[in-house]
Amino acid sequence: MVEARSIRGRAMRSRENAGRLYVCPTPIGNLEDITIRVLRMLREVDLVAAEDTRVTGKLLTHFDISKPLVSYREYGEERRIEGILSELASGRSIALVSDAGTPGLSDPGHKLIKAAIENGFEIEVLPGPSAVITALVASGLPTDSFVYQGFLPRKSGERRRLLTELLESGRTVVLYEAPHRILALLKELSDIGGERRVVVARELTKRFEEVIRGSAQEIIERLGERPRGEMVVVIDRGKPRRKEVTPDELATEVERFIRAGVSKKDAISRVSKNLNQPKRAVYEAAKGIKAKL
Ligand code: SAM
């Protein structure tokens, strides 16, 4: 954590005079995706804090914005963050921008956001582009419940353990991966997840945008030997695991439905569906049960 007690003291004492940190998402490819509000904010703030001043400099030039830029990343990160907090304390408003997408999501913007909050500064997050949501929606896989993991750890043991855990989560999984490691990830996925549906969303919003769907093995074949571009991997939640249910429990459930007036055939179907058990097993368990009870 950036320890900046005197900065924090000043921010607390004169909060109304302290500047705000505006978290400003930028396009993940297509420059038309910048929002009107982000453009206004970039024009209005006193200073822009960037992950890489060259990348953000180009973006600002494209939109004809001229603003002092400071990096929160390059050499001596902690001191740079402290410097930015001092600017906030002295009443200057700052836009936080990363190289692409929403700052703070799998990029170093998170450290500055955390430090600003811990030191009592107000932050305001502007909504905007992010690869995770764009890929998730493009995947067509269930969106009601998903796990965003960002980049997996590099160490193979840790990586495999986490991947196995994610595949058992019962949720759609969203991962970021670099192009030179994508084939290894898909191979691991094929070993652990087998035929599970996978979607690789490549170069989103860019000219060569591509959404590839299939099993991990099928996608490996589609990508070829040297895949290029930025990629997000979205993995289907898979079928929920079948819980162990005894024949007696199945029979009791079927009986319950029959007593409630449901036909034996429908009762078997409902139990099979509700308990995620093969119809055949429920049928066998219910053999001795009368059609009317
Ligand atoms: N903060 C960013 C966001 O909101 O999406 C993510 C930053 S992270 C350092 C960069 C990763 O995001 C890339 O390795 C890739 O996995 C993903 N990514 C960024 N832009 C992308 C794009 N246009 N298409 C596919 N993936 C992209």
Side-chain angles (χ1 to χ4, degrees):
M1 170 190 157
V2 174
E3 259 306 336
R5 276 201 206 108
S6 60
I7 298 170
R8 182 191 297 157
R10 274 162 64 197
M12 295 293 190
R13 270 198 302 281
S14 57
R15 186 165 288 182
E16 63 278 17
N17 297 328
R20 276 192 179 194
L21 183 68
Y22 296 94
V23 180
C24 294
T26 53
I28 55 170
N30 189 327
L31 292 180
E32 288 180 358
D33 292 335
I34 198 154
T35 71
I36 294 170
R37 190 167 165 219
V38 165
L39 282 178
R40 177 172 62 78
M41 206 50 82
L42 290 171
R43 289 197 177 101
E44 285 180 0
V45 289
D46 296 305
L47 195 66
V48 176
E51 181 178 353
D52 182 330
T53 50
R54 277 157 305 179
V55 174
T56 303
K58 279 189 200 154
L59 183 83
L60 294 187
T61 306
H62 177 86
F63 289 107
D64 217 7
I65 298 172
S66 163
K67 230 7 104 167
L69 279 165
V70 41
S71 165
Y72 53 86
R73 188 72 202 285
E74 286 153 18
Y75 342 94
E77 196 172 50
E78 298 237 323
R79 291 192 57 190
R80 281 183 179 265
I81 291 180
E82 249 179 76
I84 293 168
L85 297 185
S86 294
E87 296 282 356
L88 287 172
S90 63
R92 304 186 88 198
S93 57
I94 299 179
L96 164 61
V97 176
S98 59
D99 286 353
T102 299
L105 272 173
S106 298
D107 67 39
H110 174 71
K111 285 192 187 160
L112 179 53
I113 294 170
K114 184 166 172 273
I117 294 169
E118 284 172 354
N119 286 282
F121 293 101
E122 298 272 341
I123 66 157
E124 206 170 309
V125 182
L126 283 67
S130 183
V132 44
I133 297 298
T134 314
L136 174 68
V137 175
S139 75
L141 296 176
T143 55
D144 52 348
S145 166
F146 69 95
V147 190
Y148 165 66
Q149 179 59 45
F151 295 98
L152 284 173
R154 300 261 179 100
K155 285 194 183 151
S156 75
E158 253 177 75
R159 201 179 151 81
R160 242 184 143 77
R161 215 170 309 122
L162 183 55
L163 199 52
T164 309
E165 211 176 279
L166 290 167
L167 293 181
E168 283 176 358
S169 69
R171 301 190 163 99
T172 303
V173 178
V174 187
L175 303 172
Y176 284 169
E177 192 51 288
H180 61 280
R181 278 197 296 268
I182 190 81
L183 293 178
L185 170 64
L186 289 167
K187 172 82 180 61
E188 282 169 329
L189 257 177
S190 175
D191 291 348
I192 306 171
E195 286 301 301
R196 199 177 287 217
R197 274 188 302 168
V198 179
V199 177
V200 170
R202 207 173 75 85
E203 296 285 84
L204 288 165
T205 79
K206 301 185 195 177
R207 188 157 163 221
F208 297 109
E209 169 170 330
E210 196 181 9
V211 180
I212 310 170
R213 301 180 169 85
S215 67
Q217 188 53 42
E218 284 164 352
I219 297 179
I220 290 176
E221 282 152 27
R222 278 280 302 280
L223 282 175
E225 273 175 23
R226 251 189 243 162
R228 293 221 193 124
E230 302 208 84
M231 302 189 204
V232 181
V233 179
V234 190
I235 310 160
D236 197 6
R237 59 174 59 154
K239 289 212 178 81
R241 281 231 208 117
R242 286 208 169 113
K243 273 206 266 153
E244 288 292 320
V245 186
T246 65
D248 279 354
E249 285 168 324
L250 292 175
T252 307
E253 275 302 285
V254 173
E255 275 181 8
R256 201 169 61 81
F257 276 112
I258 295 175
R259 280 188 215 287
V262 177
S263 73
K264 187 171 172 184
K265 189 167 168 250
D266 285 349
I268 290 172
S269 293
R270 289 201 203 181
V271 172
S272 153
K273 200 160 168 231
N274 290 356
L275 300 181
N276 186 29
Q277 298 297 309
K279 217 169 185 178
R280 173 110 233 121
V282 187
Y283 177 81
E284 286 296 326
K287 253 189 175 163
I289 301 172
K290 294 201 178 103
K292 278 219 160 75
L293 293 169

